[in-house]
Amino acid sequence: MRNIPVAEVDHLDRAVLAIGTDYPADHLLPWHEHRRAQVLYAATGVMRVETADGTWTVPTARAVLIPPKTRHQVAMTGVSTRSLYLEPAAVPWFPARCRAVDVSALLRELILEAAELDPYHPEHGRDAALTALLLHELRNLAPLPLDVPLPVEPRLRGLCEEFLHKPDIHDPPARWCAALNISERTLARRFQHGTGLNFAQWRQRACVLHSLPHLTAGMPVTRIAALLGYDNPAAYTAAFRKLLGRPPTAYRSQGA
C-alpha cells in the first residue's frame, strides 16, 4: 500500500499492515498516536522522532520502534518511509519506549516488499508467509544509540531543547547552572536522574546526532565539526565513532 492513512485499513484482520509514504521536503508530521505498534523505516532521508521522553534521529536504512498509543511527532528531511503497523498481540516483546534499531539487508527487503502487498491478501499463501517471516525477523533487531533522552523537570528540559536546536560541544555546564541557579553538583545529579546520562555524555550525544541530517545532505565533515564547535574534524570523527561505532562517512554514503 502506498500513500494512504493507516486509519483507512486499521480495521483489517491482519497482524501486519505495511504502508509506504512519500513526504515533501522538510515535512513535519504533527503530534499523533496509533492503536498499533509501528516500525517506522527510513527508506530515504533522515527522520527526527520526538516523544514526551526524548528524541530519536533516524538516518536512511534504519528504523525506530514506536509502541502503541505513544504520542509522537516526526520531522522529516527528504524522507520516504515504509511503516509496519503491528497488532499489539502479535508483538508481545515490543519495547515500552521508542527504540532506534539497525535493519539487516534481509529485513530491509522484507519491509520494502511488504509495502507492495495487497492488504486483503489471503490468510495463507506466499504473502501471509512473508509477513510471518517479518514478525520473526523483527525480534532480532539490534538497538542503536540514536536517542537523546529528555528530562521531565520543565526548566532543565527547556534548556535541553534549546541546546538541541543549536548544539555546541563546548557549551559549559556553568552556563546551565547560572540559568537554573544551581550548583554543578546539583546539575550533574539532575542530569543523571532525568536522562540516565551525565552532562558531558548527553552533550556529546546531542551533537553527534544533530550532525546526521548534515551528513545525509552531503555537508563536508570539516564544516560539520566547525558548526558543532569541535576543535578539529578528527575530534568530531572520534566522538562520532565512539557513539555509533562507524565513521561519519559511513552514514553519509548511506544517505547518498
Side-chain angles (χ1 to χ4, degrees):
M1 295 180 284
R2 296 296 296 269
N3 297 311
I4 68 168
V6 66
E8 293 186 9
V9 291
D10 191 36
H11 64 281
L12 291 178
D13 183 22
R14 295 292 182 271
V16 180
L17 298 174
I19 299 177
T21 309
D22 305 309
Y23 292 96
D26 300 320
H27 180 71
L28 177 65
L29 196 60
W31 291 96
H32 64 288
E33 62 184 66
H34 308 291
R35 181 187 66 81
R36 293 173 179 249
Q38 182 182 12
V39 178
L40 181 59
Y41 172 75
T44 64
V46 177
M47 307 180 294
R48 184 173 180 267
V49 178
E50 181 178 354
T51 73
D53 60 350
T55 66
W56 288 257
T57 302
V58 186
T60 304
R62 280 80 176 180
V64 61
L65 309 183
I66 304 174
K69 300 182 180 179
T70 297
R71 279 182 54 77
H72 61 284
Q73 69 173 2
V74 188
M76 306 182 181
T77 304
V79 169
S80 177
T81 66
R82 302 295 182 270
S83 282
L84 305 177
Y85 295 96
L86 312 171
E87 279 291 347
V91 285
W93 53 265
F94 215 79
R97 181 176 181 268
C98 287
R99 178 185 299 166
V101 294
D102 205 359
V103 176
S104 68
L106 171 59
L107 182 56
R108 177 177 62 87
E109 295 303 326
L110 289 172
I111 291 173
L112 296 177
E113 181 64 21
E116 305 302 322
L117 298 183
D118 182 344
Y120 298 92
H121 63 75
E123 294 186 37
H124 303 284
R126 181 259 185 188
D127 292 352
L130 188 149
T131 56
L133 180 56
L134 257 178
L135 290 173
H136 282 292
E137 288 300 307
L138 289 173
R139 296 181 68 98
N140 300 317
L141 292 169
L144 293 172
L146 296 175
D147 64 306
V148 180
L150 293 173
V152 174
E153 196 275 310
R155 294 177 64 204
L156 180 57
R157 184 186 180 99
L159 288 176
C160 289
E161 290 175 342
E162 289 177 12
F163 184 89
L164 291 177
H165 287 294
K166 193 176 181 181
D168 179 354
I169 194 60
H170 293 304
D171 189 15
R175 182 185 72 83
W176 295 61
C177 292
L180 297 171
N181 194 27
I182 59 176
S183 68
E184 290 201 17
R185 179 175 294 181
T186 300
L187 178 69
R189 185 171 62 250
R190 289 189 183 179
F191 247 100
Q192 193 70 46
H193 175 75
T195 70
L197 303 171
N198 65 41
F199 178 82
Q201 290 170 333
W202 187 93
R203 181 180 60 187
Q204 180 159 290
R205 181 178 289 205
C207 286
V208 168
L209 297 185
H210 183 84
S211 72
L212 287 173
H214 297 307
L215 286 169
T216 299
M219 183 182 291
V221 168
T222 301
R223 186 177 172 191
I224 294 174
L227 184 69
L228 296 172
Y230 284 92
D231 296 331
N232 52 65
Y236 161 69
T237 298
F240 193 103
R241 186 187 289 273
K242 181 179 180 181
L243 179 66
L244 298 179
R246 304 177 70 188
T249 50
Y251 280 76
R252 183 171 60 192
S253 63
Q254 285 282 358

